[in-house]
Amino acid sequence: MTILLLIVSILLIAIVLLQSSKAESASAALTGGNDSLFKNRKERGGELFITRLTAVLGVAFFVICIMIMYL
C-alpha cells in the first residue's frame, strides 16, 4: 500500500508541475496589476485533461492515506 502511495505522490507532483499558471506573473498576482486575473477561462484539450487528472490523483492520495491510517 505504501508503494502505491509513493507512486501516486510522484505522479501528483509531476502533474502539478505540468499545469500552466493562471497568473501572467507572480508580481502581477501579488500587487493586483492584472485586472483579468480572475476572468473565466475555459480549459480545453490538454489543460482540461491535466486538471481532471490532478483532481483524481489528489482524491486517490487522500483515500490511500486514510486507508493506511486504518489498516
Side-chain angles (χ1 to χ4, degrees), residues 28-56:
L30 292 175
T31 60
N34 191 358
D35 292 335
S36 64
L37 178 63
F38 297 107
K39 193 176 194 181
N40 191 5
R41 266 185 54 193
K42 189 149 184 125
E43 295 176 338
R44 299 174 193 257
E47 286 184 4
L48 182 62
F49 175 74
I50 289 176
T51 302
R52 289 183 179 168
L53 185 59
T54 304
V56 168

Side-chain angles (χ1 to χ4, degrees), residues 1-66:
M1 189 65 75
T2 57
I3 294 174
L4 182 62
L5 181 64
L6 182 66
I7 292 170
V8 169
S9 300
I10 292 171
L11 287 174
L12 187 60
I13 291 169
I15 212 73
V16 165
L17 290 175
L18 285 175
Q19 285 184 346
S20 62
S21 66
K22 305 288 184 204
E24 304 249 335
S25 67
S27 64
L30 292 175
T31 60
N34 191 358
D35 292 335
S36 64
L37 178 63
F38 297 107
K39 193 176 194 181
N40 191 5
R41 266 185 54 193
K42 189 149 184 125
E43 295 176 338
R44 299 174 193 257
E47 286 184 4
L48 182 62
F49 175 74
I50 289 176
T51 302
R52 289 183 179 168
L53 185 59
T54 304
V56 168
L57 287 173
V59 168
F61 178 81
F62 283 109
V63 167
I64 293 170
C65 286
I66 290 171

